[in-house]
Each structure stands twice: as C-alpha cells, then as structure tokens.
C-alpha cells in the first residue's frame, strides 16, 4: 500500500479547483468574451489526450486556470470526460524556464479517467514523480510543458508524457 504525501498544498489545490469551477460557470453581460487559445495535450499511457470544449463537462470549459504569482492551477477536460490537473505552488514568484518537480512538493499532477469517477492517479502518492516547465508567463498568455507518473494509493499507475499547454488569459 502506498502512502499519500500529506502536504499543505492539498487544501489549496482543492480550494483552487472549486474557485475555477465556480468562476467559470458565472458570466455576466459585462464580462469580456475574449477569443483565444486554451489547449492542453499529452500522451496518457502512450495514447493521445486532448482537451475539448465538447465533452460531458463542457459547462465548466475545456481548460480552466487560476493564476497568481505564487500559484498556477490548470485543469482540463477531454471529450470522453477524462481530466488532467496541474498545480504549482511556490513560496516565491513562479518564473518561466524553471523546472518545478513533484519531488520538491512544488508540482502536483493528477489524471482521472472519468472526472466523476473514483480513480485518481496523482503525483501526491509516495513514489510518484513529475515535472512542469512554464515557457512563457505573461499577462496575456501562459505556455509550457509537463510530464508525470501518477500513482493510485492502492496500486496502479499512469504515465502522462509529452504534455503541453497554451492558454490565452
């Protein structure tokens, strides 16, 4: 049996996820509708995975982001209902061209084959690993690459490789 890493980032990750979902569902007539790019793709156990606005959870959007100088959370849904979440929490400003790792506790990756299901493959389980690198962080756009080996607490793993994201803010 694997042990879950108990980190102070888990509550932040959960709160951030709820903020993204609630913020993305409420729009008013005064909200600016900015056309832009919001994509996330990866190879999940060798199979192509792509975010999509046309899935069972499209009401919350294909890609959601919560961005502050010390916390960036990205959540993406595919058309089949699967889900990838990326979270970076730092005590200093998050910068481009820095590699953040799961081993250091700064990066958390998660894959769920079905967002509403109970299977969760995470870097927060002992023995899991992952990295994320932001290639651009600006007021207009966030881009980067990622990979991780997610584990389930009671066994099982998933490999998420060659991941990339591009999000217009």
């Amino acid at each position: 049996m694997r042990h879950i890493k108990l980190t102070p980032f888990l509550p932040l990750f959960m709160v951030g996820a709820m903020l993204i979902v609630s913020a993305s569902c409420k729009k008013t007539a005064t909200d600016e509708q900015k056309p832009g790019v919001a994509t996330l793709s990866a190879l999940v156990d060798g199979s192509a995975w792509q975010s999509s606005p046309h899935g069972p959870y499209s009401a919350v959007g294909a890609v959601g982001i919560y961005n502050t100088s010390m916390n960036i959370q990205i959540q993406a849904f595919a058309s089949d209902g699967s889900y990838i979440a990326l979270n970076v929490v730092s005590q200093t400003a998050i910068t481009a061209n820095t590699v953040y790792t799961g081993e250091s506790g700064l990066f958390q990756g998660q894959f769920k084959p079905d967002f509403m299901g109970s299977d969760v493959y995470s870097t927060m389980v002992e023995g899991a690993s992952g990295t994320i690198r932001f290639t651009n962080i600006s007021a207009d756009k966030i881009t980067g690459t990622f990979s991780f080996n997610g584990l389930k607490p009671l066994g099982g793993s998933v490999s998420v490789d060659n991941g990339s994201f591009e999000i217009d803010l």
Side-chain angles (χ1 to χ4, degrees):
M1 182 169 156
R2 294 185 173 95
H3 298 285
I4 297 175
K5 295 178 188 173
L6 296 176
T7 68
F9 304 125
L10 182 58
L12 290 172
F13 185 74
M14 300 291 281
V15 169
M18 295 306 295
L19 287 172
I20 289 172
V21 170
S22 64
S24 67
C25 292
K26 185 178 181 182
K27 299 285 183 191
T28 66
T30 60
D31 285 345
E32 179 181 329
Q33 296 299 318
K34 176 181 167 184
V37 176
T39 60
L40 189 142
S41 62
L43 292 176
V44 177
D45 281 340
S47 297
W49 189 97
Q50 177 70 48
S51 61
S52 172
H54 306 293
Y57 308 109
S58 58
V60 295
V63 177
I65 186 162
Y66 172 75
N67 178 25
T68 70
S69 65
M70 295 187 296
N71 180 216
I72 296 176
Q73 298 176 8
I74 301 169
Q75 300 176 356
F77 298 89
S79 60
D80 65 0
S82 59
Y83 168 84
I84 290 179
L86 310 169
N87 185 32
V88 176
V89 178
S90 178
Q91 294 187 3
T92 60
I94 296 171
T95 59
N97 299 310
T98 299
V99 175
Y100 297 92
T101 68
E103 292 80 3
S104 67
L106 298 176
F107 168 65
Q108 299 165 355
Q110 183 182 80
F111 174 76
K112 292 184 77 172
D114 179 0
F115 178 67
M116 297 303 283
S118 60
D119 282 342
V120 178
Y121 299 89
S122 174
T123 60
M124 296 187 305
V125 177
E126 186 176 326
S129 61
T131 62
I132 189 168
R133 179 178 169 267
F134 297 96
T135 53
N136 179 44
I137 301 174
S138 69
D140 298 34
K141 183 179 290 225
I142 294 179
T143 61
T145 59
F146 67 95
S147 65
F148 64 90
N149 179 39
L151 301 175
K152 290 191 333 183
L154 299 176
S157 67
V158 68
S159 177
V160 179
D161 295 305
N162 298 324
S164 65
F165 53 89
E166 179 177 345
I167 303 164
D168 283 348
L169 302 175

